[in-house]
Amino acid sequence: MRIVIIGGGPGGYEAALVAAEHGADVTLISREGLGGNSVLWDCVPSKALIVSAEAMGWMQSAKRLGVRLEGGHDLATRTEIDMNAVMDRVQGLAFNQSADISKKVGRTGVEIIEAEARLLDPQTVEVEHRGGRSYRVSADIVLIATGSNPRTLPGCEPDGDRVFTSRELYDLRELPERLIVIGSGATGAEYAHAFARFGSEVHLISSRDQILPSEDPDAAAVIEDSFERWGMVIHRRKRAADIERGADGVRVETTEGEWVEGTHALFCIGQIPASGGLGLAAAGVHVTDRDAIPVDGVSRTNVPTVYAAGDVTGSMMLASTAAMQGRNAMWHALGQAVTPFRDDAVAKCIFTEPEVATVGMTAEDIAQSQVPVRTVSLPIARNPRAKMRELSEGFIKLHAMAGSGLVLGGAVVSAQASDLIAPVSVAVHNRLSVQQLAYAFTVYPSISGSLQEAARQLMDRA
C-alpha cells in the first residue's frame, strides 16, 4: 500500500513508523525538520526551558536542605540566569531531537522529503520544493498531520524583538526585565512560571477569575498561590486589545481600557489548525469554520482515503494525542484491529511547579454527571517522601464510581506529576477499580504511595 503523510510532527512521524512496520510504502513530506511544533518550537523547547527555571527554584530551597556555598553563603543570593546559555541549550536539544527522529524514521525505509505539499484530489499529492521544482505523488491513503500555528491578534503580531509567540521566543538572548504574558491557559502559565523563576517581573493577563480555566479549580488555586508568592502579578478578568511598542518596551491595552507596561510581551492565546494551502477543498475534505479537520475515532475524515491527526483536527492539542491519532489512522488504513480514540482516557500535564497532571473525569464533569461519584483528595504535604523533599504544595485526587469502585479519573498536583499520573491513566484506560489500584505495590517512601492510599480510602467510600 502506498501512503503519503503530510506533516512531520508526532502525528506524522509516529504514523510513518507504524505504516513502515506493517510493510507499507511510505513517503513523509514536511516543510521543516521532523518533530514539528512539538519538538522544534513548543513541547521540547518549552519543557527544557522550564527545567532551567526549576534549577533556579532548587537554589531557593538549598539553604533549608543544608546545602550552601563555601563560607556559608546562600546559593539563592549568588545565583543568576544566563539567558544566552539557556536558549543555546534549549535550541540544541530541539534540533538534536529532530535529527534523532529523522534517523529513526529513515532507518525504517520511509522516504522523507522536505518540501511543501498539497492535495490535488483524494489520492494525488503535489510536492513543491523550495527551488520551484514540483511533481505529483499517487497514494492509496493520505494522512494530514500539519499541526497548528500560534494565534495572534490583529495589530499585535510578533516582531521577535519586543513581542513574541512561542515561535520567536527562543531567539531571546537577554532576560526580560518586565514580561507581560497574555493568556493564562497551560502555555501561558508554563512560560509565566519559567520567567518568574528566572527573575523577571511577570504580569499575567487572564480573561477569567482563575487561571488555568480548563483545569481542576483546586489545582488552579494551588498554582495561582505559587505564582503570587513568587511575585507574579495576575490581571484577572482582562483581555488584551492592543499593543504599543517603543524603543524601551511595550504597553498592552486591555479591553477594559487598562494599560499594562513591560519591556517584552508574550502572546499565549491558543493555536490555530494549520489546514490552509493543503488543497483540502479540491479533495472534498470538510474543514470547520475554525480551520479544523473533523475526524472520527480512527482518524478518518469525510473522504475515505484521507485521514488526519494532531492539532490540525482541532482536538486536544497534545503531542501524545497527535501520536495516538496518527497510529490509529495507520492501523485502521492497513486493516489492523484498532481501539477508537477516547477523549476520556487522555492524560495531560501542565509543567509549572508544582506540575498539574490530570486524566479522565474532571470536577466539571462530576458536577454535571448523572452517575454517583466519590472523590478522595490527599494533600502532598502529608506524604513522607514529600516531607523529605520539602514539597508542601499540591494534592492527589481520585474519582471513582459509587458502588463498582470504577476509577473515573484523577488529578495530581506535585513535583513529577507527569510521571505520577501514569497509574491513574492505566486505571482509567483499562477500566480498573480502586480495589485493583489499592492492591498494587508502591515503593516506600514515595509520592506514589499517596495514590495507593487514596485508592484504599475510596474502597470504603465507593
Side-chain angles (χ1 to χ4, degrees):
M1 182 175 282
R2 176 78 162 144
I3 292 174
V4 174
I5 299 169
I6 304 175
Y13 73 75
E14 287 288 344
L17 290 171
V18 168
E21 287 166 1
H22 286 82
D25 180 3
V26 185
T27 297
L28 193 160
I29 307 164
S30 177
R31 67 178 62 174
E32 55 199 3
L34 295 197
N37 283 342
S38 176
V39 170
L40 293 170
W41 316 110
D42 187 5
C43 192
V44 169
S46 67
K47 279 42 173 187
L49 182 79
I50 288 167
V51 171
S52 294
E54 288 173 353
M56 292 294 287
W58 300 335
M59 299 301 105
Q60 299 293 327
S61 60
K63 184 178 180 180
R64 296 195 305 274
L65 297 174
V67 178
R68 61 194 69 195
L69 291 170
E70 186 177 354
H73 298 293
D74 186 353
L75 279 166
T77 63
R78 297 293 186 94
T79 306
E80 62 180 12
I81 198 72
D82 182 343
M83 189 56 64
N84 196 56
V86 168
M87 293 306 188
D88 280 345
R89 175 179 179 272
V90 165
Q91 290 182 325
L93 282 169
F95 289 118
N96 288 340
Q97 179 71 2
S98 177
D100 288 345
I101 293 169
S102 295
K103 291 176 184 175
K104 180 179 180 180
V105 173
R107 283 195 295 266
T108 67
V110 172
E111 181 185 14
I112 302 172
I113 301 173
E114 190 168 323
E116 300 282 344
R118 61 178 179 143
L119 288 163
L120 298 179
D121 61 49
Q123 292 182 284
T124 307
V125 176
E126 183 178 58
V127 181
E128 184 175 347
H129 290 269
R130 288 193 177 92
R133 181 171 66 94
S134 65
Y135 53 90
R136 297 181 178 186
V137 178
S138 296
D140 297 303
I141 295 294
V142 177
L143 172 68
I144 306 294
T146 47
S148 62
N149 296 309
R151 179 172 170 257
T152 58
L153 298 178
C156 302
E157 292 79 8
D159 56 23
D161 179 32
R162 294 286 178 181
V163 181
F164 304 89
T165 69
S166 58
R167 278 261 173 173
E168 304 81 24
L169 184 66
Y170 300 103
D171 291 328
L172 190 64
R173 293 291 155 171
E174 293 184 358
L175 181 67
E177 179 183 342
R178 185 180 171 105
L179 178 66
I180 306 169
V181 178
I182 299 99
S184 64
T187 304
E190 287 182 349
Y191 283 122
H193 150 73
F195 281 96
R197 293 290 171 103
F198 287 153
S200 296
E201 180 184 334
V202 176
H203 288 253
L204 180 61
I205 297 180
S206 173
S207 63
R208 309 291 184 91
D209 287 314
Q210 192 175 48
I211 67 169
L212 301 175
S214 299
E215 300 303 319
D216 184 297
D218 294 336
V222 171
I223 302 305
E224 273 195 351
D225 182 62
S226 174
F227 281 3
E228 291 180 328
R229 283 189 290 101
W230 274 84
M232 194 183 302
V233 179
I234 301 175
H235 300 261
R236 296 176 175 84
R237 298 179 298 282
K238 302 286 191 305
R239 293 179 183 271
D242 198 5
I243 191 167
E244 290 184 359
R245 313 165 204 234
D248 299 321
V250 297
R251 294 203 311 159
V252 174
E253 184 183 19
T254 71
T255 50
E256 291 72 24
E258 174 188 351
W259 287 92
V260 182
E261 297 190 359
T263 56
H264 301 77
L266 173 62
F267 279 86
C268 302
I269 52 175
Q271 297 282 123
I272 298 174
S275 60
L278 295 175
L280 298 176
V285 177
H286 177 61
V287 179
T288 71
D289 56 3
R290 294 180 177 270
D291 298 325
I293 303 175
V295 294
D296 63 14
V298 292
S299 303
R300 289 178 299 191
T301 69
N302 63 301
V303 176
T305 58
V306 181
Y307 291 69
D311 289 6
V312 75
T313 68
S315 60
M316 295 183 186
M317 293 189 176
L318 302 169
S320 56
T321 298
M324 186 58 73
Q325 287 182 316
R327 296 187 203 109
N328 275 357
M330 294 301 98
W331 284 323
H332 184 266
L334 295 169
Q336 303 296 311
V338 57
T339 302
F341 184 85
R342 287 175 52 197
D343 286 345
D344 69 312
V346 175
K348 56 184 179 177
C349 184
I350 300 169
F351 289 82
T352 49
E353 190 173 338
E355 295 176 357
V356 177
T358 56
V359 67
M361 212 171 213
T362 66
E364 183 178 356
D365 294 334
I366 292 170
Q368 299 174 357
S369 174
Q370 302 299 312
V371 175
V373 179
R374 301 290 181 266
T375 298
V376 162
S377 182
L378 301 179
I380 286 293
R382 295 181 187 173
N383 179 281
R385 180 64 175 168
K387 292 176 182 178
M388 296 171 194
R389 298 181 58 186
E390 294 213 340
L391 303 177
S392 58
E393 301 173 306
F395 56 83
I396 285 175
K397 183 183 290 188
L398 283 181
H399 310 300
M401 185 183 297
S404 69
L406 184 73
V407 178
L408 300 174
V412 180
V413 182
S414 169
Q416 280 79 58
S418 49
D419 297 316
L420 292 166
I421 198 66
V424 188
S425 179
V426 170
V428 170
H429 181 79
N430 292 287
R431 296 183 170 90
L432 303 182
S433 68
V434 288
Q435 184 178 38
Q436 290 170 303
L437 198 57
Y439 283 0
F441 279 87
T442 57
V443 173
Y444 180 86
S446 69
I447 297 176
S448 61
S450 290
L451 277 172
Q452 185 187 45
E453 174 64 13
R456 188 191 65 75
Q457 291 190 21
L458 274 174
M459 285 173 58
D460 297 330
R461 301 186 190 182

